[in-house]
Amino acid sequence: MTSDAPTPSVPGHRMLRLVEVMETLRRECPWDSTQTHESLAKFLIQESYETLETIEDGDYPQLREELGDVLLQVVFHSAIGAERPEGDPARFTVDDVADAIIDKMTRRHPHVFGGQDVSGTDEVWSNWEAIKAAERAEKAKANGGTGETSVLDGVPFAQPAVLLAYELQKRAVRNGFPADLVGDDGSEGGELFAAVAAERDQGRDAETDLRLAARRFDTRVRAAEEAARAEGHEPRELTDEQWRAYWSKTGE
């Protein structure tokens, strides 16, 4: 007996169509065809932040579209990389990108793909850091170095400062650096660096928490402005005392 039910689509099958669309745009669109890795860099950052904001807002129906915008950037860069001539070390395709992350994830999860036993999350993280250290050493040797690396190698300084502080602290402590040595060094930014450490010690993400605090501040200021306008006052003309009064009301 045969069934007329449609065969379920294989997950990821639409990626092929996306690659085709991108290749067409590179050939036929005056704007898309002239873009470079450098000209697209700002869009990768912008789309990532828009995705983050959607998650923070809990707007999950919109998340699909925002993730699509991020995926487009990956496919766009891959299309540009594929246009380089064969043999160019800077050439790569979307399949090369996929292979790279597949290899990395399987290599760094031996407890899933390699039959290694782990006792829990802490051991997973410990193995992860050890595998990354070995990878960095191997890469350093391949580039003509001695293979000696720092536990902080690979932490990008281009990220937001709070997240940078968090990542540096986390990486150092996970690799044996004494947690009590992470603190205020007495110079500019030292107190902020120590505050990030205090959040991390509580198992919290300082970047996320600071963004939440910023959102609470934004919401409360707007509420105070709305309360002032409801009573016929222009917020920009409020005295300090009036601001404090409306601010107090928003916290009730």
Side-chain angles (χ1 to χ4, degrees), residues 54-220:
T54 301
I55 294 173
E56 290 178 344
D57 290 341
D59 188 0
Y60 298 120
Q62 180 65 21
L63 183 58
R64 176 179 63 181
E65 180 175 338
E66 298 301 340
L67 287 172
D69 290 340
V70 173
L71 179 58
L72 173 63
Q73 295 305 307
V74 175
V75 174
F76 210 150
H77 281 281
S78 298
I80 294 172
E83 292 168 0
R84 289 181 175 272
E86 293 284 354
D88 187 332
R91 184 182 187 276
F92 62 89
T93 68
V94 69
D95 290 317
D96 294 326
V97 173
D99 281 340
I101 194 60
I102 290 170
D103 290 345
K104 180 182 291 185
M105 289 298 99
T106 54
R107 187 171 62 249
R108 292 185 181 179
H109 291 79
H111 55 289
V112 176
F113 301 103
Q116 183 183 80
D117 293 327
V118 293
S119 58
T121 302
D122 289 343
E123 190 172 352
V124 170
W125 279 118
S126 178
N127 290 342
W128 179 278
E129 292 295 345
I131 294 169
K132 286 176 63 177
E135 291 173 354
R136 289 193 294 270
E138 183 177 345
K139 184 178 293 186
K141 287 182 179 179
N143 291 332
T146 62
E148 296 177 352
T149 62
S150 168
V151 297
L152 300 182
D153 285 348
V155 177
F157 272 71
Q159 59 189 312
V162 173
L163 184 57
L164 171 61
Y166 177 86
E167 290 296 327
L168 289 171
Q169 295 172 6
K170 181 184 69 176
R171 178 75 69 82
V173 172
R174 277 187 180 167
N175 285 276
F177 186 82
D180 61 290
L181 296 183
V182 180
D184 184 357
D185 63 1
S187 295
E188 296 86 346
E191 292 182 4
L192 289 173
F193 195 79
V196 172
E199 284 277 300
R200 184 178 50 78
D201 287 343
Q202 297 176 44
R204 304 186 65 86
D205 183 332
E207 180 76 14
T208 298
D209 285 352
L210 185 57
R211 289 181 63 86
L212 289 173
R215 281 185 170 273
R216 291 196 301 271
F217 179 78
D218 176 86
T219 298
R220 195 170 175 186

Side-chain angles (χ1 to χ4, degrees), residues 13-85:
H13 74 285
R14 294 297 287 166
M15 283 290 297
L16 295 175
R17 178 55 180 156
L18 176 57
V19 171
E20 292 175 352
V21 168
M22 192 68 253
E23 290 176 346
T24 300
L25 291 174
R26 285 294 288 178
R27 289 194 306 270
E28 302 179 15
C29 176
W31 186 85
D32 291 279
S33 62
T34 60
Q35 299 310 300
T36 65
H37 293 307
E38 292 76 16
S39 69
L40 291 174
K42 59 181 179 293
F43 297 112
L44 180 58
I45 296 173
Q46 177 183 335
E47 300 298 355
S48 297
Y49 275 118
E50 289 182 2
T51 302
L52 174 59
E53 184 171 3
T54 301
I55 294 173
E56 290 178 344
D57 290 341
D59 188 0
Y60 298 120
Q62 180 65 21
L63 183 58
R64 176 179 63 181
E65 180 175 338
E66 298 301 340
L67 287 172
D69 290 340
V70 173
L71 179 58
L72 173 63
Q73 295 305 307
V74 175
V75 174
F76 210 150
H77 281 281
S78 298
I80 294 172
E83 292 168 0
R84 289 181 175 272

